[in-house]
Amino acid sequence: MPFEANYDEAKVPDCELPDPLTAEDGTAVSGSSDWPSRRAELLSLFETHVYGRTPSKKIDLRTVVMEEGDAGDCGVRKQIRFYFTLEDARPYADLLLYLPTAPRACATFVGLNFQGNHTIQADPEILLSDVWMREKGEGVVDHRSTEAARGSSSSRWPVSSIVARGYGVATLYCGDLDPDYDDGYSNGVHPLFYADGQSKPHADEWGTIGAWAWGLCRALDYFETDDDIDASRVAVMGHSRLGKTALWAGAQDERFAIVISNDSGCGGAALSRRRFGETVGRINESFPHWFCDNFRQYGENEDALPVDQHALVSLMAPRPVYVTSAEDDGWADPKGEFLAARYADPVYRLLGTDGLDAETMPGIHEPVTSRIGYHIRAGGHDVTAYDWDRWMDFADKHLGQGL
Ligand code: GTR
């Protein structure tokens, strides 16, 4: 039967969600001192059943500054190459960074991009990516980018406004870490971690989202070495598949001070058990490489999952987390995204924060800025200036930033 998404709230099944505050052996998590062990348990469940375990092996990662220059309204630009082996060869990833001109340790947003660093600004100095791209983007020919692609996603990256508010902004192309297609994990960073004789990840080992999240953590390692950035004030953000990735990076790496998920939907902030819009079965069919193989058993079988996505949001606690949705983005289930934020609230309260200051879903353009933040804006599946303005307001409030 062809897949037909449900967009009718009346047809959403009654769902019983696993309780983040009940341990697997049934004991109640009743005090903040009980949380670390429950947190570890939940993280392990997400590793085993959803995203796969990230290998702990250390590889020969080296960073080389490729370029640094004045970027006008966008402040100062730096481009840093992450080599993953001792050879100056692929796979490598390029980090693009814009910082306010006045040199000081600034709070910074970091997120992956979909089509190459050169698409986030029409800046001729950005290194043009020469690796595989999805055909979707402007200026992409035979899965390779051309000069015509420069700046094609700049509406999603308002760099000059971000820098004007005193923040740095950094990005990596997700395809530098793992190209976004199902190739059995023979390209990208996966092979660097295989044990002798291994040719693909085991059923509980990382997929593509895991590799992308790993790359975000390596960016944070770099920030710790760059005096122009305050690595204790880094917000990891991402849109859609890259929003799923931001959440998974933030869950695994507690050095991220703020985690922002935009329109991340199924496998991101949306509750899987609601089966509204995109479902677990459908996502595994369309994108078999994103999650670990174990996740496939939960297609049309969501109730068997030992976790749901509110537990992922709770793994950010007590750090500020901001879930953002768009009104016309039914495929990503805005209500399911709100409810995941809502049901993470008891964990935040247990840890002594204000949690999510909204019992019911707020109206369009009525941001909630408590420790769990949420907004829904008008429009479709995208990143807009409205989203960025609210994320910066949220960071101002929770990181004590503000010019
Ligand atoms: C869709 C996918 C979503 C979302 C989106 C995107 O095709 O079904 O889960 O990730 O792509 O990344 O833009």
Side-chain angles (χ1 to χ4, degrees):
M1 252 204 349
F3 174 76
E4 220 180 290
N6 174 44
Y7 294 112
D8 181 355
E9 201 54 45
K11 293 193 182 138
V12 170
D14 282 336
C15 32
E16 208 177 301
L17 296 173
D19 179 3
L21 292 181
T22 303
E24 294 308 289
D25 67 2
T27 48
V29 177
S30 48
S32 56
S33 60
D34 300 335
W35 175 244
S37 68
R38 175 59 175 155
R39 184 184 192 283
E41 196 171 62
L42 286 170
L43 185 64
S44 171
L45 291 171
F46 277 105
E47 288 172 335
T48 307
H49 300 274
V50 184
Y51 305 100
R53 225 164 279 286
T54 305
S56 50
K57 179 177 154 186
K58 294 275 171 279
I59 56 166
D60 291 310
L61 197 148
R62 295 173 293 131
T63 56
V64 177
V65 178
M66 303 297 284
E67 193 267 345
E68 211 172 324
D70 174 16
D73 283 357
C74 295
V76 174
R77 180 190 55 252
K78 289 191 197 183
Q79 298 185 76
I80 291 103
R81 183 158 291 174
F82 295 0
Y83 282 115
F84 300 132
T85 64
L86 294 175
E87 278 148 54
D88 289 2
R90 291 269 176 197
Y92 60 70
D94 287 336
L95 177 80
L96 169 65
L97 183 58
Y98 287 100
L99 295 166
T101 313
R104 68 198 166 90
C106 62
T108 296
F109 291 87
V110 62
L112 300 176
N113 64 71
F114 284 79
Q115 294 287 131
N117 293 350
H118 58 279
T119 62
I120 80 145
Q121 282 296 296
D123 175 346
E125 299 301 327
I126 302 175
L127 300 168
L128 186 82
S129 177
D130 60 1
V131 289
W132 187 94
M133 302 281 157
R134 287 187 162 258
E135 288 287 1
K136 263 187 156 178
E138 213 176 291
V140 179
V141 180
D142 292 337
H143 291 290
R144 292 288 182 280
S145 227
T146 66
E147 286 289 333
R150 287 194 184 279
S152 57
S153 58
S154 55
S155 66
R156 290 183 172 184
W157 296 91
V159 174
S160 55
S161 319
I162 300 169
V163 165
R165 283 184 63 166
Y167 290 98
V169 56
T171 188
L172 298 145
Y173 169 46
C174 65
D176 273 354
L177 299 155
D178 192 28
D180 191 6
Y181 65 95
D182 182 21
D183 73 325
Y185 308 108
S186 55
N187 60 19
V189 297
H190 293 94
L192 302 174
F193 294 87
Y194 291 154
D196 282 349
Q198 188 178 7
S199 58
K200 68 189 263 294
H202 298 302
D204 66 347
E205 288 183 328
W206 61 347
T208 293
I209 288 177
W212 291 343
W214 176 87
L216 287 166
C217 301
R218 301 298 69 80
L220 191 45
D221 294 344
Y222 165 77
F223 298 153
E224 289 183 336
T225 68
D226 186 331
D227 292 342
D228 291 339
I229 296 171
D230 180 352
S232 71
R233 292 188 303 146
V234 172
V236 61
M237 54 70 61
H239 167 61
S240 201
R241 69 197 66 185
L242 303 178
K244 309 179 206 303
T245 306
L247 287 167
W248 183 228
Q252 293 175 94
D253 194 332
E254 294 184 271
R255 293 175 300 166
F256 287 113
I258 292 186
V259 182
I260 299 168
S261 146
N262 189 61
D263 303 352
S264 61
C266 180
L271 293 175
S272 301
R273 280 168 174 74
R274 280 173 47 82
R275 305 158 173 86
F276 189 102
E278 189 173 32
T279 62
V280 172
R282 171 59 192 244
I283 207 168
N284 279 322
E285 197 180 299
S286 321
F287 304 101
H289 56 295
W290 281 357
F291 301 89
C292 69
D293 278 359
N294 278 343
F295 194 47
R296 297 193 197 189
Q297 58 191 287
Y298 300 106
E300 327 314 331
N301 187 25
E302 294 85 348
D303 292 321
L305 266 166
V307 285
D308 209 318
Q309 299 305 107
H310 62 310
L312 182 68
V313 177
S314 79
L315 291 179
M316 314 309 157
R319 295 164 295 159
V321 58
Y322 197 175
V323 174
T324 57
S325 307
E327 187 181 17
D328 303 332
D329 190 18
W331 184 244
D333 186 13
K335 185 163 180 197
E337 294 177 323
F338 169 76
L339 289 175
R342 177 73 229 139
Y343 296 137
D345 172 272
V347 175
Y348 275 74
R349 298 216 182 243
L350 179 81
L351 299 182
T353 82
D354 58 355
L356 177 66
D357 190 15
E359 298 275 336
T360 54
M361 197 157 164
I364 306 299
H365 301 159
E366 289 174 11
V368 178
T369 64
S370 43
R371 190 70 75 105
I372 303 175
Y374 180 81
H375 79 229
I376 178 164
R377 64 155 169 78
H381 189 70
D382 201 357
V383 185
T384 67
Y386 177 86
D387 297 312
W388 272 105
D389 286 344
R390 299 295 78 73
W391 298 340
M392 289 189 279
D393 293 347
F394 189 74
D396 284 355
K397 175 173 172 181
H398 292 283
L399 295 178
Q401 172 88 347
L403 293 178

